[in-house]
Amino acid sequence: MQQTPIGVFDSGYGGLTVLKEIKKRLPQYDYIYLGDNARTPYGNRSFETVYHYTWQCVQWFFKQNCPLVVLACNTASAKALRTIQQNNLIKNFPEKKVLGVLRPTTEIIGNCSKTNHVGLMATNGTVQSQSYVIEIEKFFPDTTVVQQACPMLVPLIENNEFENEAADYFIQKYLNDLLQKDDKIDTILLACTHYPLIKKRIEKFLPADVSVIAQGEIVAASLNDYLQRHTEIETKLSKNRSIQFYTTDSAEDFKNHASIFYGEAVDAKHVEL
Ligand code: DGL
């Protein structure tokens, strides 16, 4: 019987940190992961380009029979999701669902801060979109959100250069810039799915009373909740506990890198979009 998996998407490897948590929470489903490694990073690209790339990838998931796609990429969620939901799906794919990582995070992040001052580390694209600031304001109007673009972090992480002095230099620089803008910050949200890999290194440079929040578990919990509320989607999903990995770049490279993000070895196939 043909599978109807949940699609999980990222510009590269970062979404694997989210998939890992989703699979832990919801192991019964089938999953397909696609990393657009040939065109990563998305972080410095224009709205039009991020939308164009993301929509192309989402359509690929639809061809693989995915009733539901999760954009496990903040940049794509911030810059492309709304257009996809409001234009493409309504007109051409009303039976499909595409979800992002922004909403689940913005719904709860205000509860994590005692000072009501939240810092955000993200790509240029996510910061420029202002999406987090706008969305958090809706749920937590008393919370101040201060953003820090960290454009060097995704390239360092994608190239496996995140456990050295060069990475520490940029981590420290971005943290200093962030905390200089607001010294009341007690919660830092990692609003990029690549950053969980450097969570410990970030914490190393922070006082103990500042907590660092990664999104994986938050997104997994929210997806669980969504599927319980949307049985019309849940019942369409096949449940054979399978998982397939695809990349738009070299499958060999993907196999060599993916385990750092996913926590276990994976097999991968190359795909032409
Ligand atoms: N993992 C993506 C995110 O969450 C990285 C974006 C990029 O490709 O720069 O924003």
Side-chain angles (χ1 to χ4, degrees):
M1 227 180 72
Q2 204 167 38
Q3 295 204 338
T4 46
I6 297 175
V8 179
F9 169 72
D10 184 45
S11 59
Y13 299 109
L16 293 168
T17 64
V18 175
L19 177 60
K20 184 167 104 185
E21 299 302 332
I22 293 179
K23 207 195 83 178
K24 218 185 271 170
R25 180 106 190 195
L26 299 163
Q28 65 272 39
Y29 298 108
D30 296 309
Y31 294 95
I32 293 191
Y33 182 88
L34 173 65
D36 191 6
N37 299 82
R39 302 186 291 197
T40 200
Y42 281 11
N44 287 323
R45 299 190 190 276
S46 69
F47 269 86
E48 291 70 27
T49 303
V50 173
Y51 162 71
H52 172 70
Y53 288 175
T54 306
W55 177 231
Q56 208 180 6
C57 293
V58 167
Q59 289 177 91
W60 178 84
F61 281 111
F62 290 170
K63 287 193 196 121
Q64 315 309 307
N65 285 318
C66 297
L68 170 67
V69 178
V70 178
L71 304 184
C73 173
N74 287 272
T75 311
S77 299
K79 294 181 107 169
L81 180 61
R82 188 175 292 254
T83 314
I84 289 174
Q85 285 174 335
Q86 293 184 351
N87 292 356
N88 306 101
L89 297 192
I90 289 176
K91 271 192 221 138
N92 300 316
F93 298 93
E95 74 297 350
K96 302 280 190 189
K97 288 284 173 239
V98 181
L99 305 174
V101 286
L102 236 123
R103 175 74 189 245
T105 317
T106 55
E107 273 174 2
I108 60 107
I109 194 67
N111 296 328
C112 303
S113 170
K114 290 195 185 80
T115 60
N116 287 341
H117 287 251
V118 171
L120 190 124
M121 296 171 80
T123 64
N124 267 333
T126 301
V127 167
Q128 277 162 14
S129 77
Q130 294 283 329
S131 302
Y132 271 96
V133 178
I134 296 164
E135 291 299 314
I136 295 172
E137 160 82 24
K138 286 185 197 154
F139 295 109
F140 302 99
D142 297 332
T143 297
T144 302
V145 181
V146 179
Q147 306 192 94
Q148 180 61 45
C150 309
M152 289 303 291
L153 297 184
V154 168
L156 283 165
I157 296 167
E158 283 274 316
N159 290 292
N160 205 2
E161 293 283 353
F162 58 93
E163 284 180 321
N164 55 34
E165 284 170 15
D168 280 352
Y169 169 82
F170 283 106
I171 291 169
Q172 251 182 310
K173 175 182 159 29
Y174 294 140
L175 284 177
N176 286 344
D177 290 351
L178 177 64
L179 295 173
Q180 251 167 37
K181 286 183 242 179
D182 184 347
D183 62 5
K184 294 200 193 72
I185 290 170
D186 70 345
T187 304
I188 296 181
L189 171 64
L190 304 183
C192 172
T193 55
H194 282 71
Y195 299 172
L197 267 78
I198 51 168
K199 185 167 179 276
K200 288 212 165 67
R201 294 190 95 80
I202 292 172
E203 284 166 340
K204 206 172 70 179
F205 296 114
L206 288 168
D209 57 349
V210 177
S211 51
V212 181
I213 313 273
Q215 293 175 302
E217 287 177 28
I218 299 169
V219 174
S222 168
L223 182 60
N224 180 33
D225 184 54
Y226 177 89
L227 292 174
Q228 281 176 11
R229 284 185 288 111
H230 293 269
T231 47
E232 77 286 3
I233 296 288
E234 201 285 331
T235 48
K236 281 187 199 162
L237 298 169
S238 56
K239 301 172 185 75
N240 304 301
R241 296 172 175 258
S242 76
I243 183 147
Q244 299 171 63
F245 296 88
Y246 290 87
T247 173
T248 54
D249 205 357
S250 146
E252 260 332 287
D253 284 354
F254 193 93
K255 281 184 227 170
N256 292 336
H257 275 76
S259 61
I260 310 169
F261 296 79
Y262 190 59
E264 57 185 271
V266 309
D267 201 4
K269 293 194 188 101
H270 169 78
V271 67
E272 288 293 330
L273 294 175

